[in-house]
Amino acid sequence: MATIGTRRVGGRYLGGWVIFGLLRARIRAFNVRYLLEVLALALVYLVAGRLGLLVATVGSNVSPVWPPAGVALATLVLRGPSRWPGVFLGALCVNYGLTQTPLPASLGVAVAATLSAVAGSLLLRRVSFDASLGRIRDAVWLCAGAGAACTSISSTLGSLSLMLGQVLPASELAHSIWVWWVGDMMGVLVMAPPLLALRRPRRPRKWGEALLLAGLTAVLGAAIFMLSGVGLSAKHAAAFLLFPMSAWAALRFGAAGAAPTTLFIATAATIGTASGQGPFSSGHMTEDLLVLQLFVAVTAVTGLLVAAASEERKRAMEQLQLLATTVRGVHEGVLIAEALGQGLLRTVFVNEALCTLVGHSREDLVGRDPCFVYGDQEPELTRRVKSAVIKGEPLCTEVTVTRKDGSLLRTEVLLSPVRATGEDITHFVATHRDITATKELQARLVAAERVAAVGTLAAGVGHEINNPLAYLVLNLEAASRSLSEGGLPAARDALSGVRGALEGAERIRLIVKDLQVFSRQGDQERGLVDLNALVPPAVRIVSHALRHRARVVEEFGPVPRVLGSEARLGQVLLNLLVNAMQAISEGSPTLNEVRVRTSTDASGRARVDVMDTGAGIPTHILPRIFEPFFTTKPTGEGTGLGLAICQQVVRAHGGELEVRSEPGRGSVFSVLLPGAPVQVSSPSSRPVATPLPTSRGRRGRVLVVDDEPRLAQSMRLLLEPYHDIVTTTRGSEALALVAAGHRFDVILCDLQMPEVDGATVFRRLCATAPDQAERVVFISGGAYTPESRAFMESVTNRVLEKPVRPEVLMATVDAALSDGGALVDPEPVVAIAGGSRH
């Protein structure tokens, strides 16, 4: 065991030595690489300095051409400021070794050169400089920041060091600072860009063009700066030909082409001018080289800026092409419109998805107002779009789009302003998303929730119907027995029984009417809705199921009418009442209360509060109660859609649904709806059937068309003492009678019939006998199909809702007779299907 333990300890020591050895090797490798980089930088600095000293003009130390400044800056930018010892060592060797400058002065010059290079590299890192020089801001920071500003450190401190070291007389200090600064700045502008741009050399794709550019630049450079015997004016004129070469290189090859071209031009110009050749040679070398540097600076800066601008434009075009390709390929319709002022827009772009969506070609849409695709379906939208364009605000709404084939679809439109110039809005982008299927699904969910809400109360509704139905049957039975016995007392009993039966029938009619309000399918018609009139039917439907849980209190206050759908708002009230009912347990109706209160809030909106004293809603659940399918109720008591649909309906009416709740103290749901504008009236132009005084003025001819024989017979029995009645159970037979030449003063026609319905009868009468179509009075048990609802909204004829009260039916017939003269039949009319002959 001791041996094993020793091995373990020895292994642990061995592992430690291995790790230590690897770390030491890593450190040594790093130190060696770092040392080599520092020495390489110092060597390159020394060689570049030797070349710069060849044209020194202030003593033997200051030159208007100083390539080491660019070498030092580029190295510290690429490899990091930590390589500064290479700059210091190279500058010290140049001054102390090559120019024999005293050591104190050489140390000062080396420190100045190092500080200038480090300051330039730190500045460029600070501004997130990109060494590829592909942005204008990078070129500006290199030229103005590192080139013009930071080089003033070396020129100032370096010249002071030479003066303090008695190498430079004080009278030459200002001139030395100027020449030194020009030399360092030219070194940065000429040497740094090619080193930065070519850090990752890439082979040019256009070798032929690159070789042609290099050859022309070489020929022009040699001819301008190195050939003798050429006139000075000709050389000055030829020097301008170098600018197109620099621009060519910048535009076609970017900074990687402009920087070497500038370096070659600067090298040729410097050699030629130092040799007394070229357009800048006047015999005074210092002034000639300073003027030359101005030419080189203009060439370098122009080349870098043009290259950067070209790269930015290239990237912008690539992004634009990518954006255009993306926009064309997205599945949502995209439209871009130009803002023309005064709220006007002109379409400049549409993608394929939008063309497919609206059924128009690109030529149909481009150049037109974007609201063209909305047609006449959305006049209010045009006003809202113009308002949003004038204000420069985004707009998100649902609209109806008219396709080219005339069909309609629902889309969700998001209109967003675009500030292309950064200030003024120049364009608007509209995205269209087809939500037809989504709206259909939402409608089905709303219908399902409506059925679920009514289904929850089915037992109570059935009980409410059974009570009057029971005494209706009993009273009718008693009346029948009394009539069979005969005699005056029996007649009185029969009359009393019939009156009781009528009372029960009236109660059933009211219950059915309430159910129709809350079970109407797909009712999108909007009109003026009185919330005070909408509350009682909802309370009556829920009252039987609620009476075993709480008492119901209705509290009505002044409330403005709202513009909306009676069925949808009725569903909201019914859902909230069912929700309140389910929050209260059975067994203590005297201790609990559900209160419905209508009022007007401080802002003038209509307000309906549904308050209960139930269990309340826990705080952690309250934020989620409006989420679809979220419910805390047991299975069978809730779908999780009720409150979500309530919120959706209220928001669709421009209102808000708020909730306040405290566990154990009940909840308050508040519906807030904006009041209808004064100028808005109910969209329905159909006359409303109301009890009218019967004239009994004259006898008329009445055709009754109803597929229910007993109902047709009942109307015949009611009207026969005052008018001549013909009955039929089929619409086709009614049309045959009119086609045979029979004419009627009033045609009572049921809407929902098999084979030929009331709408078909009316349309055919309009085509064949318009005078008879004007005399049609429709009797409807409810519009259950979209076609029948659309038909009822379009006709102006009177519509009576089943079950029709006797006095209403008689008054309607008398009113129709009073509107025109009696029509005389050429022959007696034959009653069909149980009718009588008159």
Side-chain angles (χ1 to χ4, degrees), residues 470-480 493-494 496-502:
Y471 67 74
L472 185 150
V473 173
L474 291 175
N475 278 278
L476 288 177
E477 180 66 26
S480 176
D493 293 340
S496 176
V498 169
R499 287 174 178 171
L502 289 174

Side-chain angles (χ1 to χ4, degrees), residues 482-766:
S482 298
L483 291 174
S484 63
E485 294 175 356
L488 183 59
R492 291 174 179 171
D493 293 340
L495 181 59
S496 176
V498 169
R499 287 174 178 171
L502 289 174
E503 182 183 348
E506 178 64 14
R507 285 189 58 185
I508 294 175
R509 186 186 71 83
L510 291 176
I511 294 173
V512 172
K513 182 180 179 181
D514 292 341
L515 284 175
Q516 285 180 334
V517 171
F518 299 107
S519 62
R520 203 172 299 158
Q521 298 294 322
D523 187 5
Q524 297 293 337
E525 179 181 339
R526 291 199 174 198
L528 290 178
V529 179
D530 184 0
L531 296 179
N532 280 341
L534 196 60
V535 170
V539 173
R540 283 197 297 267
I541 288 181
V542 80
S543 60
H544 184 272
L546 188 57
R547 69 179 60 168
H548 302 292
R549 302 173 186 248
R551 63 182 183 276
V552 181
V553 178
E554 299 177 54
E555 185 179 334
F556 298 103
V559 58
R561 292 193 175 192
V562 300
L563 182 63
S565 167
E566 182 183 48
R568 291 295 179 87
L569 295 177
Q571 181 185 1
V572 171
L573 291 177
L574 186 61
N575 281 354
L576 294 180
L577 285 169
V578 171
N579 191 69
M581 178 191 72
Q582 293 175 339
I584 301 174
S585 302
E586 294 186 3
S588 302
T590 59
L591 301 178
N592 292 294
E593 177 184 280
V594 173
R595 181 179 295 267
V596 183
R597 176 191 298 159
T598 60
S599 60
T600 304
D601 74 347
S603 62
R605 293 181 297 180
R607 182 186 187 101
V608 180
D609 296 313
V610 179
M611 299 169 279
D612 66 75
T613 56
I617 304 172
T619 306
H620 67 282
I621 293 178
L622 195 60
R624 300 189 59 191
I625 62 173
F626 294 116
E627 294 180 10
F629 303 106
F630 175 79
T631 180
T632 58
K633 300 173 184 176
T635 303
E637 288 193 14
T639 62
L641 287 173
L643 291 177
I645 289 176
C646 287
Q647 186 184 59
Q648 173 192 339
V649 172
V650 172
R651 285 181 175 175
H653 284 73
E656 300 176 12
L657 178 58
E658 299 176 349
V659 59
R660 303 187 305 277
S661 184
E662 187 176 342
R665 303 190 63 179
S667 304
V668 179
F669 285 86
S670 300
V671 178
L672 300 171
L673 296 170
V678 177
Q679 68 274 15
V680 176
S681 60
S682 176
S684 177
S685 59
R686 186 176 63 245
V688 180
T690 57
L692 299 173
T694 57
S695 65
R696 304 289 188 269
R698 65 180 179 82
R699 193 176 186 89
R701 290 181 173 84
V702 180
L703 174 62
V704 178
V705 188
D706 199 300
D707 63 325
E708 179 56 51
R710 293 187 182 275
L711 181 56
Q713 183 70 4
S714 298
M715 287 189 283
R716 184 183 69 81
L717 293 174
L718 178 66
L719 297 172
E720 195 170 37
Y722 312 103
H723 306 285
D724 298 331
I725 308 300
V726 177
T727 62
T728 178
T729 58
R730 290 188 293 273
S732 58
E733 292 178 349
L735 292 172
L737 286 171
V738 175
H742 302 297
R743 291 296 180 266
F744 303 95
D745 296 300
V746 182
I747 299 177
L748 301 175
C749 184
D750 187 17
L751 267 176
Q752 300 291 337
M753 294 186 295
E755 297 180 1
V756 181
D757 60 6
T760 304
V761 171
F762 180 77
R763 294 190 184 99
R764 292 185 184 177
L765 288 178
C766 289

Side-chain angles (χ1 to χ4, degrees), residues 225-443:
F225 294 103
M226 296 182 181
L227 288 181
S228 57
V230 181
L232 188 61
S233 299
K235 290 185 177 183
H236 274 293
F240 288 100
L241 297 177
L242 294 175
F243 285 104
M245 298 296 103
S246 178
W248 181 4
L251 291 174
R252 299 295 291 171
F253 301 100
T261 301
T262 301
L263 176 61
F264 179 83
I265 293 174
T267 302
T270 301
I271 294 175
T273 302
S275 303
Q277 302 293 330
F280 301 101
S281 297
S282 62
H284 301 85
M285 185 174 178
T286 301
E287 288 75 10
D288 294 345
L289 289 176
L290 290 177
V291 174
L292 172 65
Q293 298 315 309
L294 177 61
F295 169 79
V296 173
V298 172
T299 304
V301 173
T302 302
L304 291 178
L305 291 178
V306 171
S310 176
E311 288 296 319
E312 286 191 350
R313 180 179 180 277
K314 181 180 179 181
R315 286 195 300 270
M317 291 298 297
E318 291 175 351
Q319 292 178 357
L320 184 60
Q321 292 176 358
L322 176 62
L323 177 62
T325 304
T326 302
V327 170
R328 290 190 184 99
V330 296
H331 296 294
E332 295 183 354
V334 178
L335 180 147
I336 301 176
E338 181 184 6
L340 303 178
Q342 303 299 322
L344 300 178
L345 296 175
R346 182 173 63 87
T347 303
V348 296
F349 173 84
V350 292
N351 67 345
E352 291 295 333
L354 183 64
C355 295
T356 304
L357 188 67
V358 301
H360 287 275
S361 65
R362 182 177 284 106
E363 291 74 17
D364 294 338
L365 299 176
V366 173
R368 306 188 69 168
D369 190 325
C371 294
F372 158 72
V373 297
Y374 308 140
D376 298 329
Q377 301 295 323
E378 299 285 347
E380 176 65 16
L381 178 65
T382 303
R383 185 193 65 79
R384 294 179 61 190
V385 168
K386 185 174 182 178
S387 176
V389 171
I390 292 176
K391 296 178 181 178
E393 299 175 347
L395 175 66
C396 183
T397 185
E398 296 179 4
V399 301
T400 301
V401 173
T402 305
R403 293 174 54 85
K404 191 173 184 178
D405 58 7
S407 60
L408 304 178
L409 59 89
R410 295 291 294 177
T411 65
E412 182 182 64
V413 178
L414 175 60
L415 185 69
S416 303
V418 177
R419 291 176 169 83
T421 61
E423 297 180 1
D424 298 332
I425 296 176
T426 58
H427 295 80
F428 279 82
V429 177
T431 57
H432 293 70
R433 183 169 62 90
D434 187 358
I435 58 172
T436 304
T438 303
K439 298 300 290 184
E440 291 177 356
L441 178 59
Q442 289 178 352

